């Protein structure tokens, strides 16, 4: 025989003794009435005493049952409280990030690898999404997203992560003469950046073929192909499906590994929207969060 009865037997007893009903205990514990009855019988057999008097219209505790309930209920309550407190401490120890999906795919892993060297075993939860810089998270320790360059320059709580430059990129195997047949690829979140970038371009002192492509694109009302994230857009571009407006922070790894290349005659311009990080009030009290924030 085991040294102690199963904890579920004790839990079933404590709830049934409080409610004086196997049916109500079953509902509270999300079990069947038969399961509660089985637990009680098992506990009675293990203890060698009768705990309940089963009456036609309900239950009644025996004297041994009253005594056992009086002693066991506080202990079970303490155990539940201890478990909740331990779980809360464990959850609070995890570093919670809310991050733009493209940033968390292309840039964040390198930062987290460095964090693991500084704090080995640091536990991290990553939640992807796009967040308004005016509405900070109540649960995250660090938020990473993008906002207008001007708003970041005026904010003391947001850290600009890079001085992003914008420039067109294509698949590495695309030739200049193929440009005219390629559509533009746009990331929906960076609203109007292609139109803005095209409006800043001049056609003098450029190659003839590039100038022809540039003039044709400037006549389009909107890019033909769109995606809601940079990661998808750059992969479409790498497959030769169009020309993407590269954001230096995100596209550099793809340039380095040879999937994409810059249009050699295209001009780089400072991006109107850039990535930022926010260390929340919770994050300021979290050692791993402050370490990672310094690495960003």
């Amino acid at each position: 025989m085991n040294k102690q009865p199963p904890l579920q037997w004790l839990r079933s007893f404590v709830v049934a003794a409080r409610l004086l009903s196997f049916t109500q205990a079953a509902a509270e514990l999300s079990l069947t009435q038969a399961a509660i009855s089985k637990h009680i019988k098992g506990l009675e057999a293990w203890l060698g005493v009768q705990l309940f008097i089963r009456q036609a219209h309900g239950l009644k505790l025996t004297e041994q049952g009253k005594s056992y309930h009086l002693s066991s209920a506080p202990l079970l309550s303490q155990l539940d409280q201890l478990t909740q407190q331990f779980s809360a401490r464990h959850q609070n120890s995890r570093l919670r990030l809310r991050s733009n999906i493209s940033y968390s795919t292309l840039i964040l892993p390198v930062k987290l690898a460095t964090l693991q060297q500084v704090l080995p075993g640091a536990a991290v939860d990553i939640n992807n999404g796009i967040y308004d810089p005016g509405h900070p998270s109540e649960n995250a320790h660090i938020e990473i997203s993008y906002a207008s360059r001007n708003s970041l320059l005026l904010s003391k709580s947001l850290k600009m992560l890079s001085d992003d430059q914008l420039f067109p990129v294509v698949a590495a195997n695309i030739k200049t003469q193929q440009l005219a047949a390629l559509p533009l690829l746009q990331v929906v979140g960076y609203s109007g950046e292609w139109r803005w970038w095209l409006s800043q371009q001049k056609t003098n002192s450029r190659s003839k073929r590039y100038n022809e492509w540039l003039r044709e694109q400037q006549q389009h009302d909107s890019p033909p192909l769109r995606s809601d994230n940079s990661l998808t857009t750059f992969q479409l571009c790498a497959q030769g499906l169009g020309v993407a407006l590269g954001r230096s922070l995100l596209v550099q790894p793809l340039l380095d590994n040879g999937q994409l290349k810059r249009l050699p005659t295209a001009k780089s311009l400072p991006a109107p929207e850039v990535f930022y990080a926010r260390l929340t009030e919770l994050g300021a009290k979290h050692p791993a969060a402050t370490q990672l924030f310094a690495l960003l």
Side-chain angles (χ1 to χ4, degrees):
M1 182 177 291
N2 293 331
K3 294 182 179 180
Q4 297 294 335
L7 183 61
Q8 186 60 59
W9 290 5
L10 178 58
R11 191 176 300 281
S12 293
F13 165 72
V14 168
V15 175
R18 170 166 51 84
L19 300 174
L20 291 178
S21 169
F22 288 173
T23 301
Q24 293 180 38
E28 181 171 317
L29 296 174
S30 298
L31 297 172
T32 65
Q33 182 177 348
I36 297 294
S37 180
K38 183 178 179 180
H39 293 168
I40 299 302
K41 288 180 180 178
L43 183 59
E44 288 177 326
W46 194 94
L47 294 172
V49 299
Q50 184 178 356
L51 298 172
F52 289 99
I53 299 173
R54 292 150 178 84
Q55 300 175 323
H57 302 290
L59 298 174
K60 181 180 178 180
L61 283 167
T62 64
E63 290 302 317
Q64 294 95 330
K66 290 178 182 179
S67 177
Y68 189 58
H69 180 256
L70 186 64
S71 299
S72 61
L75 295 176
L76 186 61
S77 178
Q78 291 177 22
L79 178 60
D80 288 342
Q81 291 177 14
L82 175 62
T83 301
Q84 292 174 1
Q85 291 170 2
F86 183 85
S87 176
R89 288 196 298 269
H90 175 68
Q91 291 299 322
N92 289 337
S93 70
R94 299 186 68 86
L95 171 56
R96 297 188 295 275
L97 304 177
R98 294 206 312 182
S99 175
N100 167 278
I101 187 170
S102 298
Y103 185 95
S104 66
T105 301
L106 297 172
I107 308 299
L108 191 57
V110 176
K111 306 295 184 180
L112 291 177
T114 303
L115 178 67
Q116 288 293 329
Q117 295 177 2
V118 178
L119 295 174
V124 181
D125 290 336
I126 302 172
N127 178 27
N128 294 138
I130 298 174
Y131 305 101
D132 183 350
H135 296 83
S137 167
E138 296 180 358
N139 299 313
H141 296 108
I142 294 177
E143 296 175 297
I144 299 172
S145 189
Y146 54 86
S148 72
R149 182 184 293 268
N150 291 337
S151 68
L152 292 183
L153 293 176
L154 296 174
S155 174
K156 295 181 179 179
S157 62
L158 304 181
K159 176 182 180 179
M160 187 183 298
L161 298 183
S162 71
D163 185 12
D164 275 345
Q165 300 292 304
L166 298 181
F167 46 83
V169 292
V170 294
N173 61 346
I174 295 296
K175 308 299 182 184
T176 304
Q177 56 268 29
Q178 297 175 284
L179 276 178
L182 295 178
L184 300 186
L185 306 171
Q186 186 181 56
V187 182
V188 175
Y190 306 116
S191 178
E193 284 191 348
W194 252 129
R195 187 181 301 109
W196 171 81
W197 185 88
L198 289 167
S199 71
Q200 304 301 307
Q201 304 304 302
K202 307 296 183 183
T203 57
N204 56 351
S205 70
R206 307 284 178 180
S207 71
K208 180 179 178 181
R209 201 175 295 275
Y210 173 75
N211 284 338
E212 291 174 353
W213 173 81
L214 190 59
R215 281 192 293 266
E216 182 176 343
Q217 300 305 328
Q218 287 169 337
Q219 295 172 5
H220 288 310
D221 291 334
S222 64
L225 292 180
R226 297 186 297 183
S227 171
D228 67 356
N229 66 84
S230 298
L231 187 61
T232 299
T233 297
F234 294 152
Q235 291 303 316
L236 292 172
C237 185
Q239 294 300 316
L241 298 177
V243 183
L245 192 57
R247 178 174 293 272
S248 55
L249 178 67
L250 298 180
V251 82
Q252 192 59 51
L254 303 176
L255 295 173
D256 292 341
N257 67 22
Q259 291 189 61
L260 299 177
K261 67 178 181 181
R262 295 180 57 163
L263 292 185
T265 52
K267 183 179 180 181
S268 297
L269 292 175
E273 295 181 314
V274 293
F275 278 94
Y276 72 86
R278 183 206 309 271
L279 184 68
T280 67
E281 290 185 12
L282 286 175
K285 303 173 184 178
H286 194 291
T290 56
Q291 288 275 5
L292 179 60
F293 190 72
L295 294 172
L296 293 175

